Amino acid sequence: MKAFLAALLLATAAPALAGDPCCATGDLGLVVERATGSLLVIDRSDHAALGRIEGLGDLSHASLTYGPDEHFAYVFGRDGGLTKVDMLTRTIAKRIVQAGNSIGGAISDDGKLIAVSNYEPGGVKVFDADTLDPVADIPLNAKTIGLVDVPGRRFVWSTWDTGEAWMADFSGPEMVLTKLGDVGKNPFDAVLTDDAHTYLIGLFGEKGVTAIDLWDEDPEPVRFLKDYGKTEDDLPVYKMPHLQGWAFTEGQYVLPAVGQHELLWVDRTSLEEVGRTPMHGQPVFIIAQPGSPYVWVNFATPLNDTVQVVDSRSHEVVKTLTPGAAVLHMEFAPRGAEVWISARDDNRVMIYDTHSLKLTGEIAAESPSGIFFTARAHRTGL
Amino acid sequence: MKAFLAALLLATAAPALAGDPCCATGDLGLVVERATGSLLVIDRSDHAALGRIEGLGDLSHASLTYGPDEHFAYVFGRDGGLTKVDMLTRTIAKRIVQAGNSIGGAISDDGKLIAVSNYEPGGVKVFDADTLDPVADIPLNAKTIGLVDVPGRRFVWSTWDTGEAWMADFSGPEMVLTKLGDVGKNPFDAVLTDDAHTYLIGLFGEKGVTAIDLWDEDPEPVRFLKDYGKTEDDLPVYKMPHLQGWAFTEGQYVLPAVGQHELLWVDRTSLEEVGRTPMHGQPVFIIAQPGSPYVWVNFATPLNDTVQVVDSRSHEVVKTLTPGAAVLHMEFAPRGAEVWISARDDNRVMIYDTHSLKLTGEIAAESPSGIFFTARAHRTGL
């Protein structure tokens, strides 16, 4: 009996020891199902859905980030929920409601701290990534936008109400909070360049874009593109563009012209406009295909059944695709071989080979919006 | 009895279902132990060695790459061995000896093909990543160097004997082999820029560096830095620099001056030299710290106890460290928070916080050389 039990123990332990392929987390991902408050766990290599995690509250406009080992995702819900999701067991490890209305978050470079940006009551809250216990509360009496992680256990964000940029530094025993400067009226979103060098802030209340050099010892806000922004004469703005959707390619920033059917190309060094590309609609996300000259663009309603591919050398549209109804997001395999595109109103995620531009797979999902692969764990500023 | 067995099955299966943290692969890595032909499996978050994998043959000058899900590593040994290592079970999944002397390899962007670059008998061999079964054999009657993966199931390399660059394209039903051009006499190494745009080839037999624009429909080799290379008047060259150790930062290439105690800074667009930095010794690896203006440099024997940190804006050395005896390699956490440094003759891997430049950990290892984190699975051209 003992020998039998020992053999049985060995046999039942074997599947784990033999390495169930689902245990390797490098090609996993999550699709936000906004209508149902659920997440679909996906396997990139197999073009497969592995399971669904439910009970995440209001996931309209939700985003998420991953811990360094890809074991846990941290999901920022519109209802102020912060949910820690276990990618291996596909369950909720912990969930707190930390504010009334949150709009995104970030994880520190060492993976130990989660910062959340809030509209209601405003401010930034910081939590322990392991326990979700509170670490810091920075109210600032303002709605916060454009929260990003910066190397050295730091976070940077901007304030809608007061037009300021701030940095919180957690590298020492006490948090150090620094105002980086006045950046302009009503910042609506901000983004960090891929080298963590420049923090770029879009303004709703006045024209222009503000850049802050985060490598500088004493950074100063610099205004550029002084005609950039919303005007009454423009087309109606169906959706404010995501700055997280600005692409960085070929020494350029690529931005959506607010309210226009156009991309703007800006030289990264001179901050001068170097070109414009007429597009199918109002651009929402502009995302660089890794290892290529191409950026992929989706559009605001009602022209949101289309995706266009633009060459960053010629600034010309090289391909127009119609993946489905209400294209909300695009996520590239980290080395650029594939792009996954969510078509919300078709309840599908469409997978394209970026080399052939052929459809190679599709996955059923409930009103899919954001798609997030675990490889994001290894990138700064997301 | 049946109920007892069922309970036991459940209990023994539970550890795997509950998600053993070691199952998440995002923060794992391998350290090459060159003298003993073994690999040390490391956990980046825990600053820990998890186990040792033995029996990999001659690992002097070995390199490795990871599959997209981080489940398997592919190790290229100097003895022509190609070994597939299971990161979850920490065992050898398969091993073949595919040549007499191999010098490196690469994995296709879809993770399906492994290409190996050989000195003896020369040429490139391509294998199925799953089975290690042969897929293609491209002898070319030449030793091959600088093999890199390029998006679209493609590989590029150069030939030592004949001074050519070649591309093999596996995106269609049949492999398409294309000569990219004559690149100069005796290429000794080559490297791909981080955006997969430019393939840079160092020459041993004549002066200069050759660049090939891989985004061009009809790429042409272009020679630049026409005084770059080995001359009889220079200091003796203790070790030819690794081109895989060229860094790309702040719109510049950073190269070791061959045989000199100097770094060269080259403008990425104009291909003109823009600066030189006097260094402690002959640079071997020059590696950009992610999300920062800094590059880290190690040196050839006999000055190889030292690492220097250089600011890519001022081109000045900002810090000199002495991590240990015979520093062979440096690997950054993918978001730059830490650097792991192998000190071969101290039998240790030293871990530094890049923000404070303080030693935060060390790990015992047998004659450690290359350090490879699984996050490399998500980068092109390694």
Side-chain angles (χ1 to χ4, degrees), chain B residues 152-181:
Chain B
R153 282 172 71 92
R154 295 178 297 171
F155 297 102
V156 166
W157 66 89
S158 299
T159 57
W160 164 267
D161 314 72
T162 48
E164 298 167 341
W166 288 84
M167 176 183 283
D169 182 337
F170 290 88
S171 64
E174 301 287 330
M175 175 185 80
V176 176
L177 189 65
T178 307
K179 180 177 165 180
L180 298 178

Side-chain angles (χ1 to χ4, degrees), chain A residues 276-292:
Chain A
R276 289 182 177 237
T277 304
M279 301 298 291
H280 169 77
Q282 290 184 7
V284 177
F285 281 107
I286 305 166
I287 304 183
Q289 175 187 325
S292 88

Side-chain angles (χ1 to χ4, degrees), chain A residues 1 8-9 12 17 23-27 68-70 89 107-108 149 195 197 215 250 291-293 313 335 377-378, chain B residues 1 5 8-9 12 17 23-27 68-70 89 107-108 149 195 197 215 250 291-293 313 335 377-378:
Chain A
M1 179 68 192
L8 183 65
L9 275 164
T12 53
L17 290 176
C23 252
T25 47
D27 62 349
D69 64 355
E70 304 163 352
T89 60
I107 185 167
S108 59
D149 58 286
D195 53 4
H197 190 166
W215 290 359
E250 273 287 273
S292 88
R313 298 165 297 181
R335 293 160 72 200
H378 313 301
Chain B
M1 177 69 193
L5 281 181
L8 182 66
L9 274 162
T12 52
L17 288 176
C23 251
T25 47
D27 61 349
D69 63 355
E70 305 163 350
T89 59
I107 185 167
S108 59
D149 58 285
D195 53 4
H197 191 166
W215 290 359
E250 273 287 273
S292 89
R313 297 164 298 180
R335 292 161 72 200
H378 313 300

Side-chain angles (χ1 to χ4, degrees), chain A residues 127-338:
Chain A
F127 300 90
D128 181 289
D130 191 25
T131 61
L132 300 192
D133 289 342
V135 170
D137 186 356
I138 311 161
L140 289 178
N141 295 314
K143 293 180 173 63
T144 51
I145 59 97
L147 174 69
V148 296
D149 58 286
V150 177
R153 281 171 72 92
R154 294 179 296 172
F155 298 102
V156 165
W157 66 89
S158 300
T159 56
W160 165 268
D161 314 72
T162 49
E164 298 166 342
W166 288 84
M167 177 184 283
D169 183 338
F170 291 88
S171 63
E174 301 288 330
M175 175 185 80
V176 177
L177 189 64
T178 308
K179 181 177 164 181
L180 298 178
D182 294 306
V183 299
K185 200 170 171 196
N186 294 138
F188 68 91
D189 201 1
V191 67
L192 186 65
T193 57
D194 44 6
D195 53 4
H197 190 166
T198 310
Y199 182 63
L200 296 159
I201 306 151
L203 303 173
F204 192 82
E206 59 185 306
K207 295 273 191 173
V209 177
T210 300
I212 300 181
D213 179 351
L214 295 183
W215 290 359
D216 203 300
E217 289 280 312
D218 193 14
E220 288 278 333
V222 174
R223 192 77 60 91
F224 67 102
L225 274 192
K226 291 182 178 159
D227 278 333
Y228 183 76
K230 185 174 176 292
T231 71
E232 286 174 290
D233 297 338
D234 291 341
L235 295 174
V237 179
Y238 291 108
K239 181 164 178 50
M240 284 305 286
H242 286 271
L243 271 70
Q244 292 249 352
W246 289 17
F248 311 114
T249 179
E250 273 287 273
Q252 300 165 97
Y253 303 139
V254 198
L255 302 68
V258 180
Q260 307 281 353
H261 293 198
E262 267 183 352
L263 296 188
L264 298 185
W265 302 82
V266 176
D267 182 278
R268 199 162 165 160
T269 305
S270 71
L271 298 178
E272 297 290 331
E273 183 183 322
V274 292
R276 289 182 177 237
T277 304
M279 301 298 291
H280 169 77
Q282 290 184 7
V284 177
F285 281 107
I286 305 166
I287 304 183
Q289 175 187 325
S292 88
Y294 305 112
V295 299
W296 292 56
V297 184
N298 71 337
F299 302 99
T301 182
L303 298 169
N304 58 357
D305 66 337
T306 296
V307 164
Q308 289 188 304
V309 185
V310 186
D311 189 318
S312 61
R313 298 165 297 181
S314 65
H315 301 164
E316 282 174 12
V317 173
V318 295
K319 188 78 181 179
T320 299
L321 303 166
T322 47
V327 169
L328 293 197
H329 197 224
M330 303 168 286
E331 175 87 336
F332 286 94
R335 293 160 72 200
E338 291 183 336

